Amino acid sequence: MVILGIDTSCDDTSSAVVADGRRILSSVVSSQTDIHRKYGGIVPELASRRHIEMIWPVVTEALETARVPLDSLDALAVCHGPGLIGSLLVGCNFAKAVGYARKLPLVGVNHLEGHMFSAFLEEEPPEFPFLSLIVSGGHTSLYLVHAFGSYTELGRTRDDAAGEAYDKVAKLLGLGYPGGPLIDRLAKSGNPGAFNFPRAYVPESFDFSFSGLKTAVRSVIQGAGLPAAGQTPPEETSLVRDIAASFQASVVDVLVRKVEWAIVGKGIRRVVLSGGVSANGELRKRMKEMAEEREVELFLPSPALCTDNAAMIAAAGHHRFLAGERAGLDLNPKAYLPL
Ligand code: KG4
Ligand code: ZN
């Protein structure tokens, strides 16, 4: 069973060919970072336009690399939400057109379900049930995954997503976009104890909150006075490295603690991380330490599978296809699409 996955939910145009929901034959991601960097964040209209330019070359490259002609595919799987509506429209309409023209069955996949099942593309996939922490630029959610298609949401962010907080703090520090990898790198040479930023544990709930942290970082920056633009590059300033490390320590503390509470409270012995922030070095290290201490199995997809990709869409699409799901030409993208 060979499925072509397509994801255009945000600012990456991606396509992948996956066999049996497990084996990646190709995975192509065309990043738009260079287009959005100068704006310090994603400009939705520019993202949609770039998807239109890139969708056909990216899909062609995915098919050619996999050496799978279009007509040999068993199905197409496309992400239909949640995400930026203009971006989603490009992938959905492309998939519907190709499916119709080549008589290929189509399945719609929720982007979060894709992230959740990225770990199934690794050599040793998790067994059910497991706790799934999805930490990305748009989401921070904790799910209890009973089986494929059967999920209980334990908690979600009440304001900013963790990745969004990374991106906003990086912008405040004058570091550029996307902020996550930049802060990840800088924090390694900073002092995580330099500033005692708040940890919003949101008592009696598995919910998250990161907007207070962002505000606390902003007031430290305003009080400290960073070098003006054009002077010392921010990454060479020890104050910036200390703020980055202290901010990251706060985010990681909360994420690790919440997962630990869920392990204890729900009695689940497997944890799966996914989403762009799960590529973070400190988060991976601290989660591993906690998992060892609690004697639970931890599944950390490789960094390329943590960030947006279409292999995860094909993997989740494989299960939906096997369950008999088929999308019609009325498949419409949704900016808000709960799991
Ligand atoms: O999963 P993803 O590629 O797209 C969404 O679905 O949002 O996640 C992108 C987010 C961005 O906010 C980016 O700054 C963050 O993931 N990110 C990281 C790292 N790599 C990407 N955050 C922290 N550390 C990283 N190494
Ligand atoms: Zn994502």
Side-chain angles (χ1 to χ4, degrees), residues 253-301:
D253 274 356
V254 172
L255 294 174
V256 173
R257 185 73 64 86
K258 279 279 155 110
V259 170
E260 195 172 12
W261 286 355
I263 290 168
V264 175
K266 302 287 169 187
I268 303 292
R269 313 301 303 161
R270 291 177 207 97
V271 176
V272 177
L273 255 57
S274 62
V277 182
S278 59
N280 184 270
E282 183 66 13
L283 178 65
R284 294 170 83 91
K285 180 176 146 253
R286 292 274 310 281
M287 260 321 161
K288 271 185 208 159
E289 288 166 3
M290 184 274 290
E292 261 168 41
E293 215 166 280
R294 291 275 171 195
E295 296 179 356
V296 298
E297 279 185 280
L298 177 67
F299 298 82
L300 292 171

Side-chain angles (χ1 to χ4, degrees), residues 93-116:
N93 285 342
F94 180 88
K96 284 195 286 187
V98 172
Y100 181 73
R102 298 300 183 107
K103 298 189 172 51
L104 287 169
L106 175 67
V107 284
V109 174
N110 185 305
H111 186 77
L112 294 178
E113 193 171 62
H115 275 305
M116 204 177 252

Side-chain angles (χ1 to χ4, degrees), residues 168-208:
K168 286 178 177 171
V169 165
K171 197 172 178 179
L172 289 170
L173 290 170
L175 293 175
Y177 173 85
L182 298 166
I183 291 185
D184 189 359
R185 190 167 44 79
L186 273 193
K188 290 190 171 76
S189 52
N191 172 9
F195 298 94
N196 188 18
F197 288 130
R199 273 102 171 125
Y201 287 114
V202 196
E204 292 173 36
S205 138
F206 290 112
D207 282 351
F208 303 89

Side-chain angles (χ1 to χ4, degrees), residues 111 115 136-138 163-164 166-167 178-181 184 275-277 279-281 306-308:
H111 186 77
H115 275 305
S136 70
E164 194 179 351
Y166 267 95
D167 294 338
D184 189 359
V277 182
N280 184 270
C306 290
T307 47
D308 284 352

Side-chain angles (χ1 to χ4, degrees), residues 7 9-10 82 111-112 115 134-139 275-276 306-309 312:
D7 187 292
S9 57
C10 195
H111 186 77
L112 294 178
H115 275 305
I134 304 175
V135 263
S136 70
H139 302 89
C306 290
T307 47
D308 284 352
N309 66 86
M312 67 185 197

